[in-house]
Amino acid sequence: MGTTGAPQVEEAVASCLALLGTATDRDWDGVRADRLEWSCRRTAEHIAGDLITYAGQLAGRAQHSYLPFELALDEGTDNSGVLEVIGATGALLAAAVRTTAREVRAFHPYPFRSANREGFAAMGIAEVLLHTQDIARALGLDHQPARGLAEFVLTRIFPHVRPGADPWRTLLWATGRGELPGRATVTEWRWHNNLVLPTERLTLEGVHPAAAADLAAGGDGGFEWIPGGPFQGTREAATFMTKAYQAGLHRPEFGVFALVRREDGRAVGGMGFHSTPDAAGRTEVGYDLVEGARGQGYATEALRALTGWALARDDVRTVLATVERDNHASRAVVSRVGFKQVGEDLDELSYELGG
């Protein structure tokens, strides 16, 4: 898959500067940005402030809150100067994203209190694209960012939004800035960074839709795998997740997780849910490991963490698992976690774990 998000940050910032640079002689202070309470000038300053904030969070590895600083422009800075600051802060975010390891996470409040480099890149791109749009509408400029930028944002931090034929229009709709046929108007929204669940030796990293599509197509999903990975079951699960995302049925926390070793950042397997909980609070879990990672307790450790997280929720009461009759290793895994056998047929055994 091979993208950090840094090139997309640079592209978004360059697009912003090119468009707004055509209107630096206009009155930005006296014109309110579209749909915002801020002026166009205040909105432009906000773009720069978000870019430097995200760069600081990622570069400083902030873990518990935002770092205690904010951007202040010198008195008398004109519109061209504001754009120069946006360019500089965008370059700082791109550099932080490019030089940060994939598994590193830093604090961001929504919704699971952390984000990785792709998450911070996507949030920065979203701020640039959307607030450039707010300023452009107010100044009568035509803003049409590259399709790939909107797709990057949607697949990383809007995984709960059903994709549309036009990613830019879909992103505008998802953030309350436009209408889409057949969809209700959005009045409240937040983006959605991926969930991670740490264990003693692993991190279960939620897979976003772009990574799932790459895995389904035979790629690595942006992970560095141990030899032989990913295993076929992970690719199949990614295929199902991709179909759910395309249909607007995907709930990110009930998707696919890559099992990443904390000691070296390499993925050893996949685990996840077959679907969201039904009306009775039941959901089914599945998993596989690359052959070189089997027999070391990884599956038991990950399954205990994932089922514990699920059963602590109000919408989950029972986790199901189906195991092939002759898969004795997998049967041992579910038994160690506490699943009880509740059914069988010629080929498979059914298990349940209750809260």
Side-chain angles (χ1 to χ4, degrees):
M1 188 171 172
T3 181
T4 62
Q8 288 83 0
V9 171
E10 293 166 337
E11 183 181 359
V13 170
S15 176
C16 165
L17 300 184
L19 179 64
L20 298 186
T22 66
T24 53
D25 59 339
R26 304 274 294 278
D27 177 15
W28 291 12
D29 270 318
V31 179
R32 194 178 81 174
D34 188 62
R35 297 178 183 244
L36 300 179
E37 295 300 321
W38 299 332
S39 69
C40 290
R41 169 61 181 249
R42 176 69 185 88
T43 304
E45 293 176 356
H46 176 78
I47 294 173
D50 279 338
L51 291 172
I52 192 63
T53 294
Y54 295 153
Q57 292 299 100
L58 196 55
R61 308 294 195 262
Q63 294 299 305
H64 304 295
S65 63
Y66 284 116
L67 296 176
F69 76 93
E70 62 181 23
L71 181 69
L73 275 64
D74 290 343
E75 186 175 350
T77 302
D78 60 12
N79 293 338
S80 295
V82 177
L83 294 186
E84 289 178 353
V85 176
I86 291 175
T89 54
L92 289 171
L93 177 57
V97 169
R98 186 172 280 115
T99 56
T100 298
R102 183 204 53 75
E103 64 271 16
V104 168
R105 300 186 73 83
F107 173 83
H108 188 276
Y110 305 127
F112 302 117
R113 301 189 68 78
S114 72
N116 62 9
R117 65 187 184 188
E118 284 188 68
F120 278 105
M123 290 186 290
I125 295 164
E127 295 286 356
V128 173
L129 296 185
L130 296 171
H131 289 315
T132 299
Q133 176 75 358
D134 296 332
I135 298 169
R137 279 181 169 172
L139 297 179
L141 305 176
D142 182 27
H143 181 220
Q144 294 294 328
R147 175 188 180 95
L149 294 177
E151 283 184 330
F152 187 93
V153 172
L154 288 169
T155 55
R156 270 69 175 187
I157 58 173
F158 288 89
H160 51 295
V161 171
R162 176 166 57 91
D166 185 332
W168 176 230
R169 288 189 63 197
T170 302
L171 181 58
L172 291 176
W173 168 82
T175 56
R177 289 171 168 83
E179 304 293 332
L180 280 183
R183 302 199 197 188
T185 300
V186 173
T187 57
E188 295 183 0
W189 61 273
R190 276 183 177 164
W191 51 50
H192 198 296
N193 280 292
N194 65 324
L195 172 65
V196 295
L197 298 172
T199 72
E200 180 180 357
R201 298 178 297 164
L202 301 170
T203 301
L204 281 65
E205 298 191 17
V207 173
H208 57 64
D214 186 65
L215 284 167
D220 59 16
F223 298 93
E224 182 181 355
W225 294 82
I226 66 171
F231 209 65
Q232 187 58 34
T234 298
R235 296 199 186 281
E236 292 175 356
T239 300
F240 294 138
M241 177 180 151
T242 299
K243 292 178 179 178
Y245 170 65
Q246 294 290 339
L249 302 175
H250 176 54
R251 278 177 58 187
E253 61 269 38
F254 286 98
V256 177
F257 294 79
L259 311 184
V260 179
R261 281 195 309 221
R262 299 177 72 172
E263 66 180 39
D264 59 5
R266 305 185 78 183
V268 299
M271 182 173 290
F273 299 97
H274 292 186
S275 64
T276 57
D278 64 16
R282 297 174 300 183
T283 185
E284 185 171 355
V285 69
Y287 53 89
D288 69 5
L289 292 178
V290 181
E291 289 187 13
R294 296 175 185 174
Q296 301 175 54
Y298 289 135
T300 300
E301 188 174 323
L303 185 61
R304 187 172 286 123
L306 189 59
T307 54
W309 170 84
L311 290 168
R313 296 173 56 92
D314 293 336
D315 56 352
V316 178
R317 304 184 67 175
T318 307
V319 180
L320 312 175
T322 302
V323 182
E324 293 178 354
R325 183 180 290 274
D326 60 357
N327 190 341
H328 298 286
S330 190
R331 290 169 59 180
V333 167
V334 294
S335 296
R336 284 193 292 268
V337 173
F339 282 77
K340 304 300 182 184
Q341 185 181 335
V342 294
E344 61 182 298
D345 59 26
L346 291 176
D347 300 315
E348 296 178 326
L349 306 178
S350 300
Y351 293 84
E352 285 187 0
L353 179 66

